[in-house]
Amino acid sequence: MQINHSRPFSFEFYPPKTEEGVANLQVVLSQLATRNPDFFSVTFGAGGSTRDKTFSTVMDIQAKGYAAAPHLSCVASTKENIRAILSDYQQQGIHKIVALRGDMPSGTLSAGEFRYANELVQFIRDETGSHFDIHVAAYPEVHPQAANANDDFKNFKRKVDAGANAAITQYFYNAESYFHFVDKCLQNGLDIPIVPGIMPITQYTQLFRFSEMCGADIPRWMRKRLESYGDDRVAVQAFGLEVVVKLCQQLLDNGAPGLHFYTMNQAGPTLAILDQLSL
Ligand code: FAD
């Protein structure tokens, strides 16, 4: 099946920690690159914990001729640090960045010079003008630390008002939450692309744990089905594929501007979804 190229899609990696991980990512990158994504993004550990590894992974992707977008989180960072990182990327010809607050690393005492992502977006604009195309995070199911959904939406708007060009959502399995969020954006005059973040399902204990932390809802019927497969990974993956393909199809059929895949540095699950999408 062919993906409709008027709807861009992108792939997210985390920077590998080991040589084996680096070698694996080379293979994954070349497999995913065959699908002509709009860009590959690379996460950034809060507090700068992966600063060098994020940078080298981004440079490696770019050196192979693909567009790369580093993530940059500002929590526990100074302006000087962020300025230096932006300058490095500017010099290397990087034009797209995913700007985030990040979560405070445990044991960190100081929150640094930025409190929220809107301050980072503003700082990037103040320092670098229109050089970067800035993506920010959006939470159709509401960020777990938000006081309430309305405040969370207002806080999202702050990021757009500060100069974000597009948003990538936290993953979700309930398409209605996404459509509702997009409608709310339009009602409030926010017409930037809101790209759904897609998490392939390959196993469930880690997915349940991670979803708990980041506030992504696994609908009860999905949870029950996944639990019932126990250790049968093949059944989990087959079910996960069916659910996520239907989700992507529904999103694209109803106007999602593209898809962003949380690949977890694996090509297979994302390729299986792309293969089954009929557009
Ligand atoms: P913010 O937009 O700052 O929001 C954080 C919370 O603060 C929300 O509850 C919001 O309602 C509230 N808030 C925001 N602004 C204000 C304000 N002015 N006043 C009061 N409250 C406010 N984490 C990483 O560490 N590295 C990554 O590479 C990374 N990549 C990600 C990519 C995507 C697409 C997504 C969706 C998330 C990613 N994360 C990453 C996780 C992200 O850092 C966490 O979800 C974090 O808790 C919030 O980041 P944010 O940029 O959305 O923060």
Side-chain angles (χ1 to χ4, degrees), residues 157-174:
K157 185 173 183 305
R158 289 178 211 267
K159 297 192 276 194
V160 182
D161 292 343
N165 304 99
I168 301 171
T169 75
Q170 183 58 275
Y171 67 86
F172 55 85
Y173 295 106
N174 175 356

Side-chain angles (χ1 to χ4, degrees), residues 15 40-45 48 50-62 68-73 81-99 124 128 131-133:
F40 292 94
S41 82
V42 183
T43 63
F44 183 90
T50 68
R51 178 176 169 167
D52 293 344
K53 289 191 165 67
T54 298
F55 185 79
S56 60
T57 307
V58 165
M59 288 302 105
D60 195 46
I61 294 168
Q62 186 178 243
H71 293 208
L72 179 57
S73 69
N81 267 335
I82 299 287
R83 188 177 286 121
I85 294 171
L86 291 172
S87 164
D88 284 347
Y89 283 129
Q90 255 189 309
Q91 280 170 28
Q92 298 298 329
I94 295 292
H95 283 275
K96 201 184 284 290
I97 212 157
V98 184
I124 298 173
T128 64
H131 177 89
F132 289 106
D133 184 34

Side-chain angles (χ1 to χ4, degrees), residues 43-44 46 71 73 100-103 116-118 137 139 143 145-146 152 155 158-159 168-170 262:
T43 63
F44 183 90
H71 293 208
S73 69
L100 304 141
R101 182 194 71 176
D103 293 309
Y116 299 109
N118 65 297
Y139 301 86
H143 185 267
Q145 290 159 3
D152 202 35
N155 293 330
R158 289 178 211 267
K159 297 192 276 194
I168 301 171
T169 75
Q170 183 58 275
Y262 297 108

Side-chain angles (χ1 to χ4, degrees), residues 81-229:
N81 267 335
I82 299 287
R83 188 177 286 121
I85 294 171
L86 291 172
S87 164
D88 284 347
Y89 283 129
Q90 255 189 309
Q91 280 170 28
Q92 298 298 329
I94 295 292
H95 283 275
K96 201 184 284 290
I97 212 157
V98 184
L100 304 141
R101 182 194 71 176
D103 293 309
M104 285 280 278
S106 54
T108 309
L109 293 175
S110 157
E113 291 186 76
F114 298 88
R115 289 170 310 158
Y116 299 109
N118 65 297
E119 295 167 12
L120 176 62
V121 175
Q122 190 62 58
F123 185 75
I124 298 173
R125 284 287 173 244
D126 290 347
E127 293 281 316
T128 64
S130 58
H131 177 89
F132 289 106
D133 184 34
I134 305 176
H135 284 52
V136 291
Y139 301 86
E141 295 182 329
V142 184
H143 185 267
Q145 290 159 3
N148 59 57
N150 256 349
D151 280 5
D152 202 35
F153 184 78
K154 284 184 197 153
N155 293 330
F156 173 71
K157 185 173 183 305
R158 289 178 211 267
K159 297 192 276 194
V160 182
D161 292 343
N165 304 99
I168 301 171
T169 75
Q170 183 58 275
Y171 67 86
F172 55 85
Y173 295 106
N174 175 356
E176 282 308 315
S177 66
Y178 170 79
F179 296 126
H180 180 80
F181 187 82
V182 171
D183 283 348
K184 193 156 168 81
C185 287
L186 292 174
Q187 284 157 16
N188 285 273
L190 308 183
D191 64 355
I192 63 167
I194 312 285
V195 180
I198 304 295
M199 179 68 89
I201 299 172
T202 54
Q203 49 68 54
Y204 71 90
T205 37
Q206 201 187 331
L207 181 73
F208 287 0
R209 205 171 45 241
F210 193 55
S211 302
E212 198 67 40
M213 267 163 31
C214 69
D217 186 45
I218 314 261
R220 177 185 159 87
W221 72 275
M222 278 180 63
R223 187 177 287 268
K224 290 287 175 194
R225 288 286 299 272
L226 285 166
E227 280 169 357
S228 74
Y229 297 128

Side-chain angles (χ1 to χ4, degrees), residues 21-33 64 267:
V22 171
N24 169 61
L25 193 59
Q26 305 284 337
V27 177
V28 170
L29 174 65
S30 61
Q31 289 172 333
L32 291 175
K64 292 191 165 69

